Amino acid sequence: MAAAVAVAAPAPLPQRHTVAEDVQGLILASLVSALGMSILATGGLMVGGVAGMALLAHYATGAHFGLLFVLFNLPFYWIAVRRMGWEFTLKTFLAVGVTGVVADLIPRMAPFESMTPLFAAVFGGALVGMGILSFIRHRASLGGVGIVVVWLQRSRGWSAGKLQLGFDTVLMLVSLTVLPPSKVLYSALGVLVLNLVLLFNHRPGRYMGA
């Protein structure tokens, strides 16, 4: 009887994050993501999404990653406003700005002397994945493709991890025009680690925060 009652009991309603919870969550996510990107950049590797596009442009032109990251994200805010609302868009705008600035500051304030590609791929990919996961759970994203995949997951139930993996596969192929094949292979490993973090930890109905 107790088991039947437990099964029939309604699921608890999700509780919205407070402003303070959102602020600390977004700041921590930005710091973790920026550290992951800095590790990947030190290893000369790529990452997925618009951040990967910015890194690729950084390698090709020498321009600051943070500036490129912010600029490449601008067209996606129109989609964010129309499909996800002003709250999501503002949080994402701030997250992208803070992540870009911190990613540019890390090499100056805490430079890494060396970084093997394998270490950079695994640890950098995992950190960026955890950052993106935290952004999603606080109704934000790391911009760009993340905006689109979060919208599709919420509106149609499609897996954000699988969608991101598809885009990142194409990006890795394009990066062969700039990076040597060995770097692209390690970058693909980092992207795989990142997307596995999302695939295993972000599923519709598994997280009750709002």
Side-chain angles (χ1 to χ4, degrees), residues 30-71:
S30 297
L31 296 179
V32 170
S33 299
L35 179 59
M37 290 181 190
S38 182
I39 289 175
L40 289 166
T42 301
L45 305 184
M46 287 280 294
V47 70
V50 171
M53 295 169 58
L55 272 177
L56 190 60
H58 164 70
Y59 295 143
T61 67
H64 288 293
F65 163 78
L67 177 61
L68 293 170
F69 185 45
V70 172
L71 292 177

Side-chain angles (χ1 to χ4, degrees), residues 52-170:
M53 295 169 58
L55 272 177
L56 190 60
H58 164 70
Y59 295 143
T61 67
H64 288 293
F65 163 78
L67 177 61
L68 293 170
F69 185 45
V70 172
L71 292 177
F72 285 2
N73 269 295
L74 292 179
F76 291 92
Y77 294 127
W78 179 80
I79 299 175
V81 171
R82 294 197 60 181
R83 301 298 183 182
M84 304 297 292
W86 280 103
E87 178 186 351
F88 176 91
T89 304
L90 180 59
K91 288 179 180 178
T92 297
F93 178 80
L94 294 175
V96 168
V98 173
T99 301
V101 169
V102 174
D104 277 345
L105 288 177
I106 287 176
R108 304 175 188 178
M109 301 181 69
F112 301 111
E113 294 183 1
S114 62
M115 191 78 63
T116 65
L118 179 60
F119 178 92
V122 174
F123 281 79
L127 287 173
V128 175
M130 290 303 296
I132 294 175
L133 178 66
S134 184
F135 283 131
I136 293 173
R137 290 181 171 180
H138 287 274
R139 291 185 55 80
S141 79
L142 206 51
V145 179
I147 294 173
V148 178
V149 300
V150 169
W151 165 54
L152 289 174
Q153 174 160 293
R154 290 184 177 176
S155 62
R156 303 191 180 184
W158 297 354
S159 168
K162 292 179 181 179
L163 291 170
Q164 188 81 45
L165 184 59
F167 176 87
D168 293 343
T169 299
V170 176

